[in-house]
Amino acid sequence: MTKQTKKTPPVPPQTQFVKILHGLIIISLFIMIGSGLQIYNATPVFGGKNGWPFPKWATLGGWLAGGRNWHFTTMWVFAFTLLIYGIYIFLTQRWKRKFVSEQDLKALKVAQNPKRRTYAWHRLIYTGIIPVLILAIFSGLAMYKPAQFHWLSGLFINWQTLRIIHFLTVPISLLFVLVHIIMGIRAGGLRLTRSMFQP
């Protein structure tokens, strides 16, 4: 009597287009973080001129102007890639299985299947990062062109509040990337994570 082999669930196919978009988002995110820390070191958000600086190996740009050039150039790549990805999700109706639904919220309360709860948490986190990314882009635009976007920067009360809010979107985004990877591994194993990067 032969032992029945356990079937592994199929990995959802990912198009090259989606893989390229994911790659651009991740690369531009880390470029913006490194260059943003270079800008931060010039005038720390917390503690003023005497605030704690980030080590040089974590920064990008070499000096304030270099950091700004990297940061604001990459910002457009990041924003437009997110916009294209959002349009793609909408047109292909991938949002129906990407974003949290009423069934997911119900599953988090009553579902006993751990796999189902993992999917629900994944969609909830995936949905929750959207306002954070929008806030990061809008607060970045308000800092980039405060005169031209004075109506936008005025929504953040004052300059220091604007800088704090923009700064806090960084650890939240990094935490999302980490949790997103962990949830992907829990849902589909390393095969699912690798499928986003393998040709």
Side-chain angles (χ1 to χ4, degrees):
M1 187 171 162
T2 59
K3 193 181 288 185
Q4 191 174 7
T5 57
K6 187 179 179 181
K7 291 183 179 180
T8 56
V11 174
Q14 306 292 347
T15 65
Q16 282 298 118
F17 182 66
V18 171
K19 292 177 182 180
I20 291 171
L21 291 179
H22 266 82
L24 285 174
I25 290 171
I26 292 173
I27 293 170
S28 58
L29 175 63
F30 280 96
I31 290 175
M32 283 195 301
I33 290 173
S35 56
L37 294 181
Q38 181 67 60
I39 298 171
Y40 174 98
N41 280 353
T43 308
V45 175
F46 306 104
K49 287 290 186 180
N50 297 320
W52 180 79
F54 285 91
K56 283 192 174 183
W57 59 262
T59 64
L60 177 66
W63 73 104
L64 175 59
R68 285 173 60 87
N69 289 339
W70 274 104
H71 198 72
F72 294 130
T73 300
T74 311
M75 174 191 71
W76 295 110
V77 177
F78 183 72
F80 280 117
T81 304
L82 283 177
L83 177 62
I84 293 170
Y85 188 46
I87 293 173
Y88 174 80
I89 288 176
F90 177 77
L91 292 178
T92 58
Q93 297 190 346
R94 288 165 65 98
W95 60 270
K96 292 182 179 179
R97 53 190 176 86
K98 286 283 187 181
F99 300 135
V100 68
S101 65
E102 187 177 346
Q103 289 74 22
D104 292 318
L105 297 176
K106 185 177 179 180
L108 292 174
K109 293 181 180 179
V110 300
Q112 300 297 320
N113 187 336
K115 185 79 78 174
R116 178 66 183 90
R117 292 175 63 87
T118 297
Y119 281 123
W121 275 115
H122 202 174
R123 293 191 185 105
L124 180 62
I125 294 168
Y126 199 91
T127 305
I129 195 60
I130 294 174
V132 176
L133 293 176
I134 293 174
L135 184 62
I137 292 171
F138 281 4
S139 59
L141 279 174
M143 295 174 67
Y144 177 49
K145 297 288 186 180
Q148 291 84 346
F149 295 105
H150 58 88
W151 55 271
L152 184 59
S153 57
L155 297 176
F156 295 91
I157 304 174
N158 56 53
W159 187 256
Q160 181 64 6
T161 302
L162 172 60
R163 296 186 72 213
I164 291 173
I165 290 174
H166 188 68
F167 179 83
L168 290 179
T169 61
V170 174
I172 295 174
S173 299
L174 284 175
L175 183 62
F176 164 76
V177 172
L178 178 62
V179 174
H180 185 47
I181 292 173
I182 293 173
M183 286 291 182
I185 292 174
R186 289 185 63 182
L190 288 173
R191 295 182 311 122
L192 179 60
T193 304
R194 286 199 298 264
S195 70
M196 288 305 305
F197 302 99
Q198 290 177 337

